[in-house]
Amino acid sequence: MLDLAPHPDAVIVPESLLRALTQLRVLLGGALAVISGRTLAEIDRLLPLDLTAAGTHGACWRTPHAATDCVLPLPAPLRAALKEQFPALLVEDKGHAVAVHYRQAPAERPAILAQIHRIIAAAGIPLKLIDGKAVFEIMAPNIDKGTALKRFHASAPFAGRRPIFIGDDTTDEPAIAAALELGGIGLRVGPTTGLTPALIRDWLSEQAQAAA
């Protein structure tokens, strides 16, 4: 829904998007959720609408009744080792995942990846490495957005509905697959489909207005 920015904190949220999401939540009887790699706190900062949400790729989730739950965070020594290894990069410690951004140093990608593999091997625990858009994310192997989508779909007000999921990165693939598995729609934003964040925002606004 949002255009990429040089820094995760620099993304811009148009007021029109906030209005559309507010209207759609009402029109859908509350069956609207955000599933993001960002933490729940970051989701709320960008979208201050108290939405049903799953943050950190599904490691934490909030139900429509405001109950919040999380899996166990990554070990603190692992998170510290990743931050110490890359002092010149933006390293996001999300607690349940660590994101190493290299958008400002694309030529260093092979070396960064090799160092991350070394740290993961030294950790001695099962971990998953996701190769995203100019970012590597390290998390527990049982976390993904598809699991988050299925968790929401199994309970009210989502149960029995046809899910529609929209994503633009590698981490969104499990949720796209889950939506299709549940008889819904999975949309990919990017050059392969021609869909852009702006088109998605326009579509959401059109759906909100058409159903009003």
Side-chain angles (χ1 to χ4, degrees):
M1 296 186 295
L2 303 177
D3 297 298
L4 290 175
H7 190 284
D9 292 340
V11 296
I12 297 174
V13 182
E15 286 295 326
S16 58
L17 175 61
L18 297 178
R19 289 195 298 270
L21 293 177
T22 299
Q23 292 170 321
L24 286 171
R25 178 172 55 181
V26 174
L27 294 168
L28 293 171
L32 176 71
V34 172
I35 301 175
S36 174
R38 293 176 181 267
T39 64
L40 288 178
E42 278 294 291
I43 293 172
D44 289 343
R45 181 182 69 82
L46 293 170
L47 305 172
L49 305 173
D50 194 26
L51 295 170
T52 296
T56 319
H57 307 286
C60 289
W61 58 95
R62 179 172 60 221
T63 70
H65 308 294
T68 301
D69 203 356
C70 294
V71 301
L72 291 175
L74 293 179
L78 169 65
R79 288 149 46 203
L82 287 164
K83 294 197 75 170
E84 291 169 4
Q85 182 64 51
F86 305 108
L89 300 179
L90 170 61
V91 180
E92 284 187 279
D93 182 355
K94 305 177 184 180
H96 300 87
V98 177
V100 180
H101 296 266
Y102 60 90
R103 189 176 301 278
Q104 306 303 323
E108 300 299 319
R109 183 185 189 281
I112 293 168
L113 181 58
Q115 291 169 320
I116 290 175
H117 277 303
R118 179 180 57 77
I119 293 172
I120 288 177
I125 59 173
L127 293 166
K128 176 168 59 177
L129 173 62
I130 300 295
D131 188 349
K133 291 184 176 180
V135 62
F136 294 117
E137 292 220 40
I138 300 92
M139 65 191 78
N142 59 339
I143 295 172
D144 64 60
K145 294 180 182 179
T147 301
L149 188 148
K150 289 181 177 180
R151 182 184 296 115
F152 286 143
H153 191 261
S155 60
F158 302 95
R161 293 176 181 259
R162 187 183 186 195
I164 299 175
F165 180 85
I166 306 169
D168 70 348
D169 206 348
T170 308
T171 57
D172 296 310
E173 294 298 327
I176 290 173
L180 295 173
E181 180 185 334
L182 293 168
I185 297 171
L187 298 176
R188 293 173 176 83
V189 174
T192 58
T193 62
L195 293 175
T196 64
L199 287 174
I200 294 300
R201 292 194 297 270
D202 289 344
W203 178 74
L204 290 171
S205 294
E206 290 168 3
Q207 297 306 306
Q209 293 168 8

